[in-house]
Amino acid sequence: MTGEEGVKISVRLSSEDMQLIQDFMEENDLDVTISSFIRDAIRGYIADKKVPAEAGEDGIYVRLSEVLIQAMDNLKKEGVIFDEESYIRQLVMSDLIPQESLENTKTNAFKAAQEASRMM
């Protein structure tokens, strides 16, 4: 499917479900159509169900908005980042690891490399 092509389906929602969707969209300042919201919800549901098999026990899954995903895709296309996963990892580490600890780690790694080169 390309562009505006697609399969049209009808979904019957209770008034409570429709209100739930509208409230969520309003509370989260989502400026999208109901159809777009439902498509994103379906994709999110499917991705969420796939994650346990794909991520393993040592991984985590983070759902991001389409805007953030597109922004990272643009950064990758421009060559600013290598891939989304390593970029997110870098952001988390830079936020969690104190700068002083990072500098100490760099210094220790360099000293260890110097020692190793002296032994060669």
Side-chain angles (χ1 to χ4, degrees):
M1 291 184 290
T2 59
E4 294 296 317
E5 297 174 14
V7 175
K8 184 175 181 176
I9 64 169
S10 295
V11 177
R12 185 175 307 274
L13 297 173
S14 68
S15 57
E16 292 85 10
D17 288 340
M18 189 62 196
Q19 189 63 52
L20 183 67
I21 291 171
Q22 290 172 335
D23 290 346
F24 181 85
M25 291 174 65
E26 186 176 314
E27 290 166 6
N28 291 280
D29 199 28
L30 299 177
D31 188 26
V32 297
T33 65
I34 297 290
S35 293
S36 178
F37 177 85
I38 291 172
R39 279 191 296 273
D40 287 347
I42 290 168
R43 287 185 193 109
Y45 180 85
I46 291 170
D48 191 46
K49 294 300 178 186
K50 286 183 175 181
V51 168
E54 294 175 0
E57 292 188 20
D58 61 344
I60 62 169
Y61 173 74
V62 178
R63 193 175 331 194
L64 301 172
S65 70
E66 288 295 321
V67 172
L68 293 175
I69 292 169
Q70 184 62 53
M72 287 189 296
D73 190 50
N74 292 341
L75 289 172
K76 187 169 67 173
K77 286 177 184 172
E78 292 292 323
V80 175
I81 65 173
F82 179 70
D83 63 38
E84 294 87 342
E85 183 178 346
S86 60
Y87 179 64
I88 292 170
R89 186 180 301 110
Q90 175 189 358
L91 291 175
V92 170
M93 288 177 58
S94 68
D95 193 53
L96 291 178
I97 300 173
Q99 189 64 34
E100 182 180 335
S101 294
L102 186 58
E103 292 302 320
N104 289 340
T105 301
K106 288 179 188 178
T107 300
N108 293 339
F110 185 73
K111 287 179 182 177
Q114 284 179 319
E115 290 294 321
S117 69
R118 287 186 194 129
M119 293 180 183
M120 292 181 175

